[in-house]
Every structure is written in C-alpha cells, then in structure tokens.
Amino acid sequence: MGAGPQISLDRSSPVPLYFQIAEQLEGAIVSGALAPGDKIDNELDLAGRLGLSRPTVRQAIQVLVDKGMVVRKRGVGTQVVHGKVRRSVELTSLYDDLTAAGQDPRTEVLGLRRVEADEDVARELQLEPGAPVWSVERLRYIGDEPLALMHNLLPASLLDLDAIDLTRVGLYAALRDAGIWMRVAKQRIGSRRADARESRVLAERKGAPLLTMQRTAYDDAGRAVEYGEHAYRPDLYAFEITLVDR
Amino acid sequence: MGAGPQISLDRSSPVPLYFQIAEQLEGAIVSGALAPGDKIDNELDLAGRLGLSRPTVRQAIQVLVDKGMVVRKRGVGTQVVHGKVRRSVELTSLYDDLTAAGQDPRTEVLGLRRVEADEDVARELQLEPGAPVWSVERLRYIGDEPLALMHNLLPASLLDLDAIDLTRVGLYAALRDAGIWMRVAKQRIGSRRADARESRVLAERKGAPLLTMQRTAYDDAGRAVEYGEHAYRPDLYAFEITLVDR
DNA sequence: TAGTGGTCTAGACCACAAT
DNA sequence: TTGTGGTCTAGACCACTAC
C-alpha cells in the first residue's frame, strides 16, 4: 500500500488542487496504470503523501465517483470500476460531441426565422405566447451522410442569431460567445417513424425509425434559453449515458 | 434576505444533517414555496441560521445542484432553475421506475436458462468465454399493453435466479436481496426496427420503430453484474435525463 | 481490532459579480 | 466596495467492513 500512481501538484497553477489530482488519477485509469479492480490509496495516505488536507483529496476522488470510474465502499476502500470508460452524454452540443470524437461535422442551415412563440414553445422557454423567438432548422452531416435534423427555438431577446454563421460554429458556441452559459439541460429521448420530409432530408426510407431528442436548456441564472427537437439516424448515432448512485 | 423556508433539523436522526436540509429545500421547490428564479439564502446566512458549519450547508446545496434544481453563480448566489422538475433517469430498474410513478407493472417471464457466455457477453461481464450465466427474457406490461421486451444476462456465480419468482419482484430487487448493490450503470440508447418476433410479442406492426437500451451495471466492488438488451415501445416509453454542468 | 470512507466543525483566503 | 460562491486547512468522531 501507499504506492499508487505518482501525482504532481502545481500550487501556482490556477487549476484547483483537487482537480489536478482527479485529472492525474483519471489518466492513470484510462492508461491502465490503475487497472479495473485496483484500489486507490486511501484518503488519509493520499493526503499525507501529497501534503494536502483530507477534504481536498476527498473532493478529488468525488470527481471520479461522479464520472462512474471508481466506487467507494466504507470500511473497504475505493476501487476502479471494471469495464472500459465510455464517454457519457455531457452538457455539450452534438457539434462539440462530434468534434471531440475526431469527426468533422458539417452543418447546413435549412432555415433561420424570427417567429412568434406558440403556446408550447412559450411554456418551455418561460415566455409569453407571441414573444419573438429564433427558429432555426439545421441538418448535420458526418462525412457525406446526413446524421441529424435539428430544430431549435431560442428567445430572440437573448442574442442576434441572424448575424451568426451557424454553418461554421455550433449553436452552443454561438451562445457562449453571447455570454450565455448552459448549466442544466432536461432531455427526453424517444423514437418514432420518419415522416416524408424527414426521410427525404435524412436520406432514409419512408417510415424508417428515428431516434428523437427533445431538450430544454437553462443557463447559469436558471433561465430557459433553448428548446430543441432533434431527430437522429439511428444507424449513425446513439446516446451513451453513465448513471451513478451516490 | 434571511427569510427563506423554515428548515428543521433533528440531530438525533441517523439521516445526515446535509441530507435533511437538501430534502426540505427540495420540498420547498417542488411545492412552489421557492419559485423558479428565487434565490436561496446564501451559504453563510443559512449556516448561521441553522447553527451549522458552512461546509455542511454547502454539501446540502450541492445535492440540489446535482439534481439540476438550482444553479450556483459566484458573486451572485444560488437560484432555483426555471422549468418543471422532471424526474431523471436514475439507477433503478424499469420495475422500480414504474412502481414509483404509480403504475402497476406486470411481468411475464418468457425464458430463464443457464447458458454459457459467448464472447460478447463474456467481455461485457468481465468473464471467461463459456462461463455460466443466467439468461432471462421478460416481457413487461403496463396495464394490458406490452411495454418492453427485456433480455438480461448475469454471472451465474452471483446468485441463484432459478429460485426467484421474477414475476413478483424486479431483477434489481432480486439482486439486492442477494446482497448485490448496483452503483454504476453504462447505457446506450438507440432505435431500430422491430423484427418479426419483437413486433409479435410487443403487439406492434412489423418493422415498427423500437426504442432500445443496452446496459452494463456494476456493483459496489466495481464488478460487472448485469448486461441487458431492452426494447421499448416508443409510444409508451421514453427516457428522461437531466444533465448538469458542474 | 484495525482500517476505511461518511459526516461535521470553525475557521481561512481567493475569484468573480454587482454596485 | 461589498457580497457571493470556490477552494482549502487541520483536525474530530462515527459507522461499517474485514479479520
């Protein structure tokens, strides 16, 4: 005991100490230096070895627990979970997801209009019915294959989408540029048949199954800032999710 | 300032103080006593008012942040998120989900066999190919409608499924009874056409879209303990997920 | 009994937002 | 400048597990 992976700390870095530890432990797990089933040094040893207080070390390990990479058991210790690390759905856009996966997504803007919110949209976005919203419809390609048809609605008061080239940046990037930071998203994932138009733009047969996602996203002030209805080609996309019991 | 909902603490209770606070704040949000956009008392005030240290209060609020019910912003405060509270997918079985939603799920066991793990299953469950596993296929009804066709595989060394009446308890309940506690699950959600048999047992038309989920679950020792392939009728079921950027 | 994580205290200093 | 959450310290006692 007491060996474990080498961890180096930079106290002059703006990166919090607990995060530096978490990053390096995660690296050791991903690289295989810490194998599934291995125990991580207990919190007191690790704190002593790094010259930190126990709560700081504990906070670091909690990051890994939240990611589902390790499990803690009182009286036993902290063990690396079996099974390959599967990237979970995070609070990122599809564009970010694909870019991170080394893909090269391309986006075609099918429509960008300023419309009045109907009752459903107004409810989702916490607006008055009739309030101005941006309605943007985009088709995302992966290589030459159409992957997803995306319809998003955003309060027009938040930003000026008209001036933004959505073929070049993702929607979330445009929001970030406008100073809007997503913090919470509520999604509903389901499935249904493609209608005539969907099957045409997605190059699927009529009536083919689609994977659908409806999402409402909220910013760091708790405001609803985006409502989206997306349809994915299920042969090209699936949602991966890691659930943790804490 | 300094008003906020009344919170009562029971120091003799085995329920941790931070959890008692979180429960009561959550209750105030769900009941509407704390409305969307409202600010929660700041951490120091709340700590002072309750006679607790700040880290304890902070831990309580973190529970709500993790649930996506409030957002914190440095220099500003903690605010209740807009939008109705949507129950998120948690680490529970479909049976538990439905029971909690006030439904009355019924289960038909279509098959329960002890088989040898093929390569795919062995890899998912971290076993040697050929190791004995339970293979159980069940059909879940909601009312009179078939809702989901579920195929699960579990290491036979873990428990004796043969002796368990799976029509009466969920699979996860059977595992809990055997002293096995799920801690982490990795899911992949997609969609495809129903094949002939699936459309028959699910009372769907042939080729109808199905919502599919593959899951590997791990216990509190990090062991893979269950692999499942489930198919849901998309007109009766969808996955709801809350994502939080922490 | 020894070892582990779970909870809790009573502070400290800092970074960022609003005014 | 003031107020907020973000980070960190240096301990304490408890509950549970394994032996």
Side-chain angles (χ1 to χ4, degrees):
Chain A
M1 284 304 110
Q6 181 118 18
I7 293 177
S8 61
L9 299 176
D10 177 2
R11 282 188 176 268
S12 70
S13 162
V15 178
L17 294 172
Y18 79 88
F19 196 80
Q20 294 184 35
I21 303 170
E23 274 183 322
Q24 292 175 58
L25 287 177
E26 180 168 356
I29 294 172
V30 171
S31 75
L34 280 173
D38 281 0
K39 273 197 199 155
I40 290 185
D41 283 348
N42 73 62
E43 298 173 352
L44 286 172
D45 282 359
L46 205 46
R49 193 150 60 84
L50 297 175
L52 297 174
S53 69
R54 185 183 163 206
T56 300
V57 169
R58 192 171 163 73
Q59 189 178 6
I61 296 174
Q62 186 61 42
V63 173
L64 302 182
V65 171
D66 290 344
K67 290 189 176 186
M69 302 181 75
V70 302
V71 287
R72 288 202 269 219
K73 205 168 160 191
R74 178 161 34 181
V76 178
T78 303
Q79 288 176 285
V80 177
V81 171
H82 285 76
K84 58 182 173 302
V85 177
R86 188 181 285 178
R87 223 183 77 78
S88 167
V89 175
E90 287 165 13
L91 189 43
T92 51
S93 67
L94 177 58
Y95 186 92
D96 295 339
D97 277 350
L98 295 171
T99 303
Q103 306 281 2
D104 181 31
R106 187 164 60 83
T107 307
E108 182 181 346
V109 177
L110 300 182
L112 172 57
R113 293 179 304 145
R114 197 182 156 105
V115 300
E116 293 185 353
D118 66 22
E119 244 180 53
D120 290 344
V121 170
R123 189 176 55 249
E124 287 295 338
L125 292 179
Q126 309 279 341
L127 301 171
E128 294 300 316
V133 294
W134 291 112
S135 169
V136 52
E137 191 177 48
R138 295 168 300 158
L139 186 57
R140 177 141 298 155
Y141 292 84
I142 192 77
D144 288 334
E145 292 273 10
L147 168 67
L149 178 62
M150 307 179 289
H151 185 199
N152 291 90
L153 294 142
L154 305 89
S157 54
L158 280 183
L159 78 172
D160 189 10
L161 263 192
D162 216 1
I164 295 172
D165 184 357
L166 287 173
T167 64
R168 301 187 61 81
V169 298
L171 185 57
Y172 276 29
L175 285 165
R176 281 195 295 272
D177 289 346
I180 298 165
W181 292 85
M182 305 290 191
R183 290 292 291 277
V184 179
K186 303 187 178 183
Q187 302 189 339
R188 184 178 175 88
I189 299 172
S191 175
R192 59 174 167 76
R193 285 186 191 278
D195 65 24
R197 177 164 178 273
E198 288 167 338
S199 50
R200 190 175 64 249
V201 298
L202 288 171
E204 282 273 20
R205 278 177 301 188
K206 195 173 157 187
L210 293 181
L211 185 62
T212 62
M213 187 263 280
Q214 298 164 22
R215 171 174 60 197
T216 306
Y218 304 83
D219 74 354
D220 54 13
R223 298 177 299 182
V225 292
E226 181 229 346
Y227 175 69
E229 294 183 342
H230 297 188
Y232 304 85
R233 272 180 54 178
D235 54 335
L236 297 177
Y237 194 73
F239 291 92
E240 301 209 326
I241 299 164
T242 298
L243 304 176
V244 177
D245 184 22
R246 279 177 302 125
Chain B
M1 283 304 109
Q6 181 118 18
I7 293 178
S8 61
L9 298 175
D10 177 2
R11 281 188 176 267
S12 70
S13 162
V15 177
L17 295 172
Y18 79 88
F19 196 80
Q20 294 184 36
I21 303 170
E23 274 182 323
Q24 291 175 58
L25 286 177
E26 180 169 354
I29 293 173
V30 171
S31 75
L34 280 173
D38 280 1
K39 272 197 201 159
I40 291 184
D41 283 348
N42 73 62
E43 297 173 352
L44 285 171
D45 282 358
L46 204 48
R49 192 150 60 87
L50 296 174
L52 297 174
S53 67
R54 185 183 162 206
T56 300
V57 169
R58 191 171 163 73
Q59 189 176 7
I61 296 174
Q62 186 61 41
V63 172
L64 302 183
V65 172
D66 290 344
K67 290 188 177 187
M69 303 181 74
V70 302
V71 287
R72 288 203 269 219
K73 203 170 163 189
R74 175 160 37 180
V76 178
T78 303
Q79 288 176 286
V80 177
V81 172
H82 286 77
K84 59 183 171 303
V85 177
R86 189 181 284 178
R87 222 182 76 80
S88 166
V89 174
E90 286 165 13
L91 190 44
T92 52
S93 67
L94 177 58
Y95 187 91
D96 295 339
D97 276 351
L98 295 171
T99 304
Q103 306 283 1
D104 182 29
R106 186 164 60 83
T107 306
E108 182 181 345
V109 176
L110 301 182
L112 172 57
R113 293 180 302 145
R114 195 182 157 104
V115 301
E116 294 185 351
D118 66 22
E119 244 179 54
D120 290 344
V121 170
R123 190 177 53 249
E124 287 295 338
L125 293 178
Q126 309 279 341
L127 300 171
E128 295 299 315
V133 293
W134 291 111
S135 170
V136 53
E137 191 177 48
R138 295 168 299 158
L139 186 58
R140 180 140 296 156
Y141 293 84
I142 194 75
D144 289 334
E145 292 274 8
L147 168 67
L149 178 62
M150 306 178 290
H151 184 200
N152 292 90
L153 294 141
L154 306 88
S157 55
L158 279 183
L159 77 174
D160 189 10
L161 265 191
D162 216 1
I164 295 172
D165 184 357
L166 288 173
T167 63
R168 300 188 61 79
V169 298
L171 185 57
Y172 276 28
L175 285 165
R176 281 196 294 273
D177 289 348
I180 297 165
W181 292 85
M182 304 290 193
R183 290 292 290 278
V184 179
K186 302 185 178 184
Q187 303 189 338
R188 185 178 174 88
I189 299 172
S191 175
R192 59 174 168 76
R193 285 184 190 279
D195 65 23
R197 177 163 178 273
E198 287 168 337
S199 50
R200 190 174 65 249
V201 299
L202 287 172
E204 283 273 20
R205 276 178 300 187
K206 195 173 157 190
L210 293 180
L211 184 62
T212 62
M213 187 264 282
Q214 297 164 27
R215 171 174 59 196
T216 307
Y218 304 83
D219 73 354
D220 54 12
R223 297 177 301 182
V225 293
E226 181 230 345
Y227 174 69
E229 295 183 341
H230 296 186
Y232 303 86
R233 272 180 54 178
D235 54 334
L236 297 177
Y237 193 73
F239 292 92
E240 302 209 326
I241 298 165
T242 297
L243 304 177
V244 178
D245 183 22
R246 281 181 296 126

